[in-house]
Amino acid sequence: MNKQISNVITQLRVISTIVIVVYHAACPYGGWEAFTATISNNISSMNIINLIFQKLLCNDMLPMFFSLSGMLFYGKKDTTYKDTLLVFWKKFDRLIVPAALIFLFCSWFDIPFVGHAGPEGHLWFVYVLFIYFCWALIMNRINIHVLMSFATAGYIVYTFSSRLEFDIHPFITQLLRYQIYFTGGYYLVNYYDLLRKNYIRWPLMFIHLISLLLDFQTGYYLLFNLVVIAFIPQREIKPIIKSLNNNSFGIYLIHHVLTISLFQINWIYHSYVNYPLLAIISMSIGVLAASWFLSAILHRIKFNYF
């Protein structure tokens, strides 16, 4: 993988991490259904929250994590993943062990739910990502276009199940929904230079904006990653970005637990009732800084699971 692609992945991982922290800070109003009725009279704030935090940030930026993971996997596969059993163990050690530690921590302290969200609710991403890695390793000798066909079929099933209200287990729904992004990482890393050509990226931008204006969800969700990767500036990575990148997984694991925990504090709870946008911004900055600090401390003492 060349340095330009590596730098782009680093930038996007940092941006995605920050976006997820901000999204979860806004979740009490929508995704967690803790406050929808309480502030229903504040129509303007609710409209902003629903558009920016729920519709755009979650549904567009969350798939970026899977795309970046796919780019890293397929960009290194030929040189790094020859010993399949060793890679299985490394992925288990890197993903499942820290997720288990977070789960045990939350279970031990019995942190209350916010709406219908528990402190360990974000770990689904880790489990799904581990399954994608395992699937990609097991199917290592299968043509990538065949794997992409399976992923596309899964996404179609997910799309129709959500529209027709089929009863599919939520975890299966997540598996069907995001595999297309992970497998698509192969094409992003191998056709990166082509994607950044003006005759490719500007039409993609136009189609994405039309999909957004027409509220064609499948179109703008699938095209968002392509457009962002096509247009993100290619630049050297500054030390602060490197630090955020190195601690991004730790931030992801820690921030959700902190957000749920802080929400139990009375004055924070009431700030969400009375000052929605200010509460989201304050929670985002505070939780990001605290998660970053804790992750950096753990790395400093050689606890590298986070």
Side-chain angles (χ1 to χ4, degrees):
M1 182 183 298
N2 66 48
K3 186 177 180 181
Q4 286 184 338
I5 298 177
S6 179
N7 286 351
V8 164
I9 290 174
T10 296
Q11 292 179 71
L12 289 176
R13 185 192 283 122
V14 169
I15 293 170
S16 299
T17 301
I18 293 172
V19 165
I20 291 300
V21 172
V22 175
Y23 164 69
H24 282 142
C27 269
Y29 297 109
W32 298 344
E33 298 180 356
F35 268 140
T36 304
T38 308
I39 64 166
S40 58
N41 293 328
N42 197 338
I43 302 299
S44 59
S45 293
M46 283 303 299
N47 287 338
I48 294 172
I49 290 167
N50 287 331
L51 174 64
I52 297 177
F53 299 109
Q54 305 297 330
K55 182 176 179 180
L56 295 181
L57 291 188
C58 174
N59 292 312
D60 282 342
M61 290 304 295
L62 182 57
M64 182 66 74
F65 276 117
F66 291 105
S67 293
L68 297 178
S69 297
M71 290 176 72
L72 288 168
F73 177 84
Y74 289 109
K76 299 177 180 179
K77 189 180 74 168
D78 293 337
T79 57
T80 309
Y81 300 139
K82 292 182 178 180
D83 188 338
T84 303
L85 289 178
L86 179 61
V87 175
F88 269 126
W89 169 247
K90 286 184 176 180
K91 293 302 180 185
F92 182 88
D93 189 56
R94 181 74 180 96
L95 296 173
I96 300 302
V97 172
L101 292 174
I102 290 292
F103 180 83
L104 291 172
F105 177 88
C106 295
S107 300
W108 179 267
F109 286 96
D110 194 24
I111 302 170
F113 278 45
V114 173
H116 58 68
E120 76 290 348
H122 63 312
L123 296 180
W124 71 265
F125 165 80
V126 182
Y127 305 142
V128 169
L129 184 58
F130 179 70
I131 290 173
Y132 289 163
F133 276 126
C134 292
W135 171 258
L137 287 167
I138 292 170
M139 298 296 170
N140 186 39
R141 298 184 181 278
I142 304 297
N143 186 284
I144 187 63
H145 306 310
V146 174
L147 296 181
M148 192 61 180
S149 298
F150 277 113
T152 303
Y155 190 84
I156 292 172
V157 171
Y158 154 73
T159 300
F160 279 100
S161 68
S162 61
R163 293 179 186 276
L164 301 177
E165 298 183 355
F166 291 156
D167 187 17
I168 300 179
H169 191 280
F171 188 74
I172 301 300
T173 300
Q174 305 289 32
L175 286 173
L176 294 173
R177 180 178 184 180
Y178 293 109
Q179 189 179 9
I180 193 171
Y181 298 101
F182 181 88
T183 308
Y186 169 87
Y187 300 95
L188 292 175
V189 77
N190 283 283
Y191 297 98
Y192 171 81
D193 292 330
L194 178 63
L195 183 61
R196 293 185 69 90
K197 300 290 186 182
N198 285 332
Y199 63 83
I200 296 292
R201 63 181 183 173
W202 284 108
L204 284 175
M205 170 70 85
F206 177 75
I207 297 170
H208 178 258
L209 291 176
I210 293 298
S211 299
L212 188 61
L213 290 172
L214 296 177
D215 200 26
F216 176 49
Q217 295 182 1
T218 301
Y220 66 75
Y221 291 163
L222 290 175
L223 289 174
F224 179 81
N225 287 359
L226 297 177
V227 171
V228 170
I229 292 172
F231 280 93
I232 190 168
Q234 297 175 334
R235 59 183 60 168
E236 290 297 316
I237 303 301
K238 297 181 179 180
I240 189 172
I241 300 299
K242 288 183 179 178
S243 178
L244 277 167
N245 179 63
N246 293 337
N247 290 284
S248 60
F249 188 52
I251 292 171
Y252 181 82
L253 291 173
I254 295 169
H255 86 277
H256 193 272
V257 181
L258 282 180
T259 302
I260 297 285
S261 301
L262 290 172
F263 202 76
Q264 314 302 324
I265 299 174
N266 192 51
W267 66 268
I268 292 179
Y269 176 94
H270 286 289
S271 73
Y272 269 79
V273 175
N274 299 312
Y275 310 103
L277 295 179
L278 180 61
I280 291 172
I281 294 170
S282 302
M283 179 71 88
S284 301
I285 295 173
V287 166
L288 176 64
S291 302
W292 185 5
F293 175 76
L294 290 172
S295 177
I297 291 296
L298 291 172
H299 287 174
R300 182 65 62 90
I301 63 175
K302 305 301 181 182
F303 187 83
N304 293 321
Y305 282 112
F306 287 22

